[in-house]
Structures are given as C-alpha cells and as structure tokens.
Amino acid sequence: MSATATHDELRFESKSLDEAATVLGETYARTRISDRRQPCGTVMRIHQRTLTPDVRLDALEFGLGFSAAVDPLETLVFTELNTGRTRFDSQGQSRTYQAGESYLVAQPDQAYIGTVEDVTMSMVIMRPSLLDKVAATAGPAGVPIRFLGHEPTSPQAALRWRGACAYVRSSVVTLPGSEHNLFRSNAASLLASVALDCFANTASSEPTAQDGHDAHPLTLRRAVSFIEDNADRDIAASDIAAAASVSVRALQLAFRRHLDTTPMAYLRRVRLAHAHSELEAACGDELTVMSAAARWGFGNPGRFAKLFRDEYGRAPSEVLRSS
C-alpha cells in the first residue's frame, strides 16, 4: 500500500483487495466484497480533493472486477464513469452503466450492491444539507430535498453536469486564488445548483400568499444591509432570508419586485464592487486580477472580466494598471 496526504488532498494505491475494502469502508461506507476476480496488479487507486466541508472531489480506479454490499452512504455520490462498467442493485431494482454515463449512486439512506468491471470514475461527494442551503428550501414541513431518479433528466442535462464538474476540477487545481475559501464555497454551490438543475428532485420554487405579503421594502432593506455587511462570508439565500426574518421565496420576490434582480445577483454585484475597490487601491503591491477575483468568489477569469467590464466600463487589468 502507498498513501500520501496533505490538509485537503489524499492519494491511495493498493494491490490488496482486502486492504482496498477497508479503505472504502473508512472513506465511503462499510463495504463487504464478494465474487472477486483475482487481481494481477494494482487493485485500487483513490485521489481525493476536499473542496469544502460539504463537497469532495474523488477519482477512483479499480483494476479488477468484483461485487460489494455497501451500507447507506449518508452522502450523495454523483459519478461520471470514464471506463468500464458498473451495476447497482437496490430495493429490487437494477441499474447498469457504461463509460460516458453519469449517475447518482444511491439515495443517502439506501444500502446497495455494486458491481464494477475494470472502472475509472470521477465522483462528486456532497452532503445533502448543501442542497437545502443552495435551493433555499427544505421542502414541505422541513423535509429535505430528495432526488427522484439516478440519471440526469436529458442528454443535455448530462452534458451540463459533466461540464460543471470538469470546470470545478480544473479550477481547484489550476486557477490562481483557488485556495480562497469564498472561491471554493462558490464552486461547491455551483455543483449543488447544477445537480438540482440536471437531476429530477423535490425542490419547490412556488411562492405562497404569505410570501407575497412579506415581500415589502423593509424586507429588502434588511436583506441589503445583511449582504453588504457579510459579502466576504460564504452566505446563501437562506442566510439572507433568515436575517430579514422572511422565507426565501418572500426574499426572492422582494428583490424581483423592488430591484428587478435576485438576492444572489445582488450579492455578486456587491462582491464585484469589493474586487474593483481592491484593484483600484493596489498601489504597486503584488495583487493580481485573479487573486482579487478569487478572494471575492469569482473563479472563471473570462466571466469575471465580462461582469467587471459590464459594470465599470473597463477591464479589471486596466484598473489595476492605473492604480
């Protein structure tokens, strides 16, 4: 066995299936392997990167075939199968996948039997509570959001999901400023948002009559004050709504009614203003455009530059050079 670890990254490799089962149990859920095929080389490789406490990015490779009974994961494991084949049996249903397909392994509270055949896969491991925070609803009577299927709702949705995953994986490693907490939390929220968009789920978005009554100017003032005081924190619409003492739907309706925007778009504009101020006040220090952008949660350089130019009429690099 070989293993290396840093504060947010782990690599593991083993030629022992029993050893691999132990690591799988410690990493995901208790795993009992059966119907194994005798390995002739490396059995398993894992590369884990922690994005935030709510999201981890895993790459997993099995160099053999086997079946395993797995206890409930208690997390959401979204998988992109790159090579090989997998099958999942749970609650009397069987699902099979091949290279190029994306899927949710199982509901967090469901045990399953998984079968793999010489696979490599990329996974997003997500705490279910992040979905409630990002979707800004816990459903009727506080019931957490639940996915209604295991595959994206269409081929286009599958492409959007894979594209978002590819962007986050590359940006976590390669983009300057990716160590900033706000950058990482925004990337995690992006994955949760795209998952909710691409996989059928129980999230509701219809405002009630009470929401309409609460969407008054005082709600807006409270929300704006909270956003401006907390733009440097990892906040979601649910946090803003709590500060304004209304539901998230009422909050969204207030912003739409009085400012013709959304709470998160307003937050993005406030963060953009902070990035602009930092670039304007750089005074020859070592600040770069991307470090300022990342500090305020903007991970896509092209998107940041466009938003900046649309708002201020100048490129961020121009503002930095003139400081």
Side-chain angles (χ1 to χ4, degrees):
M1 177 184 77
S2 66
T4 59
T6 65
H7 72 287
D8 62 357
E9 190 169 5
L10 169 69
R11 294 178 185 269
F12 169 87
E13 181 175 320
S14 177
K15 295 183 179 180
S16 164
L17 190 55
D18 291 333
E19 194 173 65
T22 299
V23 172
L24 289 172
E26 294 171 348
T27 303
Y28 302 103
R30 189 165 67 105
T31 303
R32 298 167 298 286
I33 291 177
S34 61
D35 300 331
R36 66 186 72 188
R37 190 182 73 209
Q38 187 63 32
C40 57
T42 297
V43 166
M44 184 179 76
R45 291 189 180 93
I46 294 180
H47 180 199
Q48 299 175 346
R49 288 176 289 175
T50 299
L51 185 62
T52 69
D54 291 322
V55 176
R56 195 177 73 233
L57 308 174
D58 287 10
L60 187 57
E61 176 184 347
F62 290 107
L64 78 165
F66 64 87
S67 293
V70 183
D71 284 356
L73 296 165
E74 299 182 357
T75 57
L76 295 159
V77 179
F78 296 95
T79 300
E80 301 165 64
L81 190 60
N82 301 317
T83 64
R85 294 176 297 173
T86 59
R87 188 180 78 239
F88 298 93
D89 296 282
S90 180
Q91 296 189 327
Q93 296 183 333
S94 181
R95 297 173 283 122
T96 60
Y97 301 101
Q98 59 187 356
E101 293 187 299
S102 301
Y103 53 88
L104 176 65
V105 169
Q107 297 288 354
D109 57 354
Q110 290 180 355
Y112 65 92
I113 295 175
T115 303
V116 302
E117 289 287 344
D118 298 305
V119 302
T120 59
M121 57 182 74
S122 303
M123 300 183 293
V124 174
I125 317 297
M126 186 180 299
R127 288 183 179 174
S129 57
L130 178 62
L131 296 171
D132 298 322
K133 180 178 179 181
V134 168
T137 178
V143 177
I145 291 170
R146 194 169 182 87
F147 285 95
L148 302 175
H150 295 89
E151 298 84 32
T153 54
S154 68
Q156 293 77 19
L159 286 173
R160 289 198 302 274
W161 171 247
R162 292 177 75 91
C165 292
Y167 162 68
V168 171
R169 287 192 192 97
S170 62
S171 66
V172 168
V173 175
T174 62
L175 289 181
S178 63
E179 72 279 3
H180 291 295
N181 289 336
L182 197 55
F183 176 98
R184 288 177 172 247
S185 65
N186 280 0
S189 295
L190 170 67
L191 289 175
S193 297
V194 177
L196 288 166
D197 178 56
C198 295
F199 294 80
N201 59 82
T202 59
S204 171
S205 60
E206 291 300 318
T208 66
Q210 184 62 46
D211 293 333
H213 175 75
D214 289 342
H216 47 64
L218 179 58
T219 291
L220 182 68
R221 288 197 295 272
R222 288 171 176 165
V224 166
S225 178
F226 179 79
I227 288 172
E228 292 178 348
D229 289 343
N230 294 275
D232 60 333
R233 295 177 50 225
D234 175 21
I235 58 175
S238 54
D239 301 308
I240 304 169
S245 301
V246 297
S247 72
V248 172
R249 301 309 171 204
L251 175 78
Q252 293 169 332
L253 191 56
F255 271 83
R256 191 180 312 129
R257 180 180 293 171
H258 302 295
L259 292 181
D260 193 26
T261 188
T262 68
M264 301 313 289
Y266 187 88
L267 173 60
R268 183 177 62 215
R269 188 173 180 182
V270 169
R271 287 171 172 167
L272 192 68
H274 281 290
H276 176 268
S277 296
E278 287 193 4
L279 292 172
E280 213 172 28
C283 298
D285 60 22
E286 296 183 358
L287 183 72
T288 66
V289 168
M290 273 315 300
S291 64
R295 189 180 353 267
W296 292 102
F298 298 94
N300 186 315
R303 176 66 171 158
F304 173 71
K306 183 181 186 306
L307 289 170
F308 195 97
R309 187 182 288 276
D310 289 346
E311 185 71 18
Y312 300 107
R314 303 171 69 192
S317 55
E318 294 178 59
V319 173
L320 180 62
R321 284 197 302 268
S322 64
S323 61

